[in-house]
Amino acid sequence: MKALWSILRKELRRYFCDSRMLVALFLPGILIFILYGALGKIMPSLTSTTTFENETFSLAYNEDFGEGEEPLLVTQVEAALNIENRGNTLIKFPISSENCEVLEQLKEGKYDVYLDYSPNFEEEISSENLPTLNVYYNGSSEKATYLYELASSLISYTYNGYLLNQENGVPISPNVSDSSFRIDQIASFLIPFLTITFLFSPIMSLAPESIAGEKERGTLGLLLLTPIPRSAISWGKILAISLASLASALVSFCGVFFSLPSLLPGLHLSLGNAFAILFLFFVSIILFDGIGVAISSFSKSIKEANAYLGSLLTIMMVIALLGGILDLSSIGFAFIPILNIPSCMSLILKASTFPWLYFAITTILTTVFAFFLVFVANRLFQSEKVLYRK
């Protein structure tokens, strides 16, 4: 144990007392904060509208229209839904203005959009005292978001420049839900991708230097000649990289957490979801440590280790992209190592309920796979054929 502590102290001193190493450890977290903040400024240009086909929409409205009559806007929305014969249908629900439960019913999914007209709206639209029209929707639903955006785009055309969702000159929020489908969709794509990329970056700096670097400088042979057991050297280096990487992961997590309000103002990340993502950070770091140490033990020089890890980083980025772009919510994807990490993060960010089973399988499998890779890395370090291969 004393020998292990000596190696661990030596490695940690090298990591935390070298300014270059400190930059490699903590720069990713700082970059996350800066990059997420910058992306928040350009995020509106990244949103896109889904096109629905053969879908049924429900629209509720209130007004004192006569029997068989409906607001002009409802007619326009119905016509727009059927443009290019996509097979969409609109179910209309006239609602009494005295119905106090309509917003709660909207939140529960009974309706997609609710048009709240003031009495005699269409007769008074040209008068000096403008009537009110408020459009409400459930922002957590993609379908409701689409119908709301469609109705909003038609209001100016239908009612000659009328300002939507205004009461006494003050704007009101149309979203009755605590979350927003658009924001959750963007978060489920960006956060896993950038997080996996930044978490793997410290491994590319620490792992090659730890073993392959000592081979290249010729100091590894001198270290192995000391009376310290080889297993203590191996575990000391692995633990040192893990602790340094975990510190880097914690800074990266803080960068993500504190930059979210700037990046995605409408994202509501609960404390439980934040801790779940933080736990995924830690198990991911252990997994990446095992990969990095194994590659460093196998490599003959820092250049060779960086070549392997650079190629692996590209693969990691592609996997992280797949986790955010494709629908990987099927429980079978939770059994695929590495791919299950960004997939689980995406589900946590955009699913209406916490994916307990997916999260449990991902964390258990990733932890087992991580410690298996650490064991393999330890065995590689103790093999003469691997350390001194030609």
Side-chain angles (χ1 to χ4, degrees):
M1 183 58 69
K2 186 176 180 181
L4 174 62
W5 174 245
S6 299
I7 295 297
L8 179 60
R9 236 180 356 181
K10 166 186 171 293
E11 295 295 315
L12 289 177
R13 190 183 300 114
R14 187 156 56 91
Y15 295 152
F16 290 104
C17 295
D18 188 334
S19 59
R20 292 172 298 177
M21 286 294 181
L22 289 174
V23 170
L25 283 173
F26 301 120
L27 184 61
I30 298 171
L31 287 177
I32 287 177
F33 179 80
I34 296 172
L35 184 58
Y36 280 13
L39 285 174
K41 303 295 183 182
I42 62 171
M43 194 54 64
S45 64
L46 300 178
T47 57
S48 59
T49 302
T50 305
T51 300
F52 287 90
E53 295 183 1
N54 302 315
E55 187 62 73
T56 301
F57 297 85
S58 57
L59 187 148
Y61 61 91
N62 73 286
E63 234 286 60
D64 55 341
F65 290 93
E67 184 177 351
E69 296 182 4
E70 63 185 23
L72 180 59
L73 179 61
V74 175
T75 305
Q76 297 284 3
V77 169
E78 186 173 25
L81 282 175
N82 290 315
I83 195 169
E84 297 181 3
N85 299 317
R86 294 196 181 103
N88 296 315
T89 56
L90 182 68
I91 301 177
K92 294 163 278 188
F93 296 91
I95 300 293
S96 169
S97 58
E98 299 177 356
N99 187 341
C100 300
E101 299 179 355
V102 61
L103 293 183
E104 191 63 32
Q105 293 170 340
L106 187 69
K107 187 181 292 187
E108 294 171 355
K110 183 176 181 180
Y111 313 117
D112 293 321
V113 168
Y114 169 52
L115 306 179
D116 184 14
Y117 285 91
S118 62
N120 304 311
F121 176 87
E122 294 189 348
E123 287 78 7
E124 298 180 2
I125 188 67
S126 58
S127 65
E128 292 183 2
N129 298 321
L130 283 177
T132 60
L133 167 57
N134 301 322
V135 182
Y136 299 95
Y137 74 109
N138 187 341
S140 62
S141 166
E142 180 179 16
K143 189 173 67 169
T145 302
Y146 173 80
L147 188 62
Y148 165 74
E149 292 174 350
L150 177 63
S152 300
S153 67
L154 293 171
I155 286 175
S156 179
Y157 167 77
T158 306
Y159 296 128
N160 297 322
Y162 179 81
L163 294 177
L164 177 65
N165 287 49
Q166 299 275 335
E167 284 190 358
N168 300 322
V170 179
I172 63 173
S173 174
N175 186 2
V176 299
S177 174
D178 294 331
S179 60
S180 168
F181 167 79
R182 294 292 186 209
I183 297 298
D184 292 345
Q185 189 179 40
I186 294 170
S188 66
F189 164 73
L190 276 181
I191 292 179
F193 170 70
L194 295 176
T195 298
I196 294 298
T197 303
F198 280 117
L199 285 183
F200 197 77
S201 298
I203 308 300
M204 295 188 63
S205 301
L206 300 177
E209 172 69 23
S210 178
I211 300 174
E214 296 225 38
K215 286 184 189 179
E216 190 172 331
R217 293 190 299 268
T219 56
L220 182 61
L222 296 175
L223 185 62
L224 295 177
L225 291 175
T226 62
I228 300 176
R230 186 169 295 193
S231 59
I233 298 174
S234 172
W235 284 113
K237 286 181 172 292
I238 291 172
L239 287 174
I241 293 175
S242 299
L243 290 174
S245 300
L246 287 175
S248 176
L250 189 58
V251 173
S252 297
F253 176 79
C254 291
V256 171
F257 188 79
F258 290 112
S259 64
L260 283 179
S262 174
L263 174 66
L264 303 170
L267 181 66
H268 296 278
L269 185 64
S270 68
L271 189 61
N273 287 357
F275 275 113
I277 293 176
L278 177 60
F279 189 77
L280 286 173
F281 270 46
F282 288 158
V283 296
S284 301
I285 280 293
I286 297 173
L287 176 64
F288 296 160
D289 284 342
I291 295 174
V293 173
I295 289 177
S296 185
S297 299
F298 180 79
S299 302
K300 293 182 288 187
S301 64
I302 295 177
K303 184 178 180 180
E304 183 180 354
N306 282 331
Y308 292 140
L309 289 171
S311 301
L312 194 57
L313 176 60
T314 304
I315 296 173
M316 292 287 185
M317 293 171 67
V318 172
I319 290 174
L321 280 174
L322 293 177
I325 295 174
L326 303 180
D327 181 12
L328 304 179
S329 58
S330 174
I331 202 65
F333 291 106
F335 292 94
I336 303 177
I338 300 178
L339 179 62
N340 54 10
I341 298 172
S343 304
C344 189
M345 286 185 182
S346 295
L347 284 177
I348 290 172
L349 290 165
K350 68 181 178 183
S352 56
T353 58
F354 191 86
W356 285 108
L357 183 58
Y358 204 106
F359 177 75
I361 294 173
T362 299
T363 53
I364 293 172
L365 188 65
T366 302
T367 303
V368 171
F369 190 52
F371 281 105
F372 169 74
L373 285 175
V374 170
F375 174 77
V376 170
N378 180 53
R379 298 296 297 177
L380 288 174
F381 184 82
Q382 297 187 48
S383 171
E384 295 282 347
K385 291 183 180 179
V386 172
L387 285 182
Y388 299 109
R389 68 184 184 90
K390 299 299 184 181

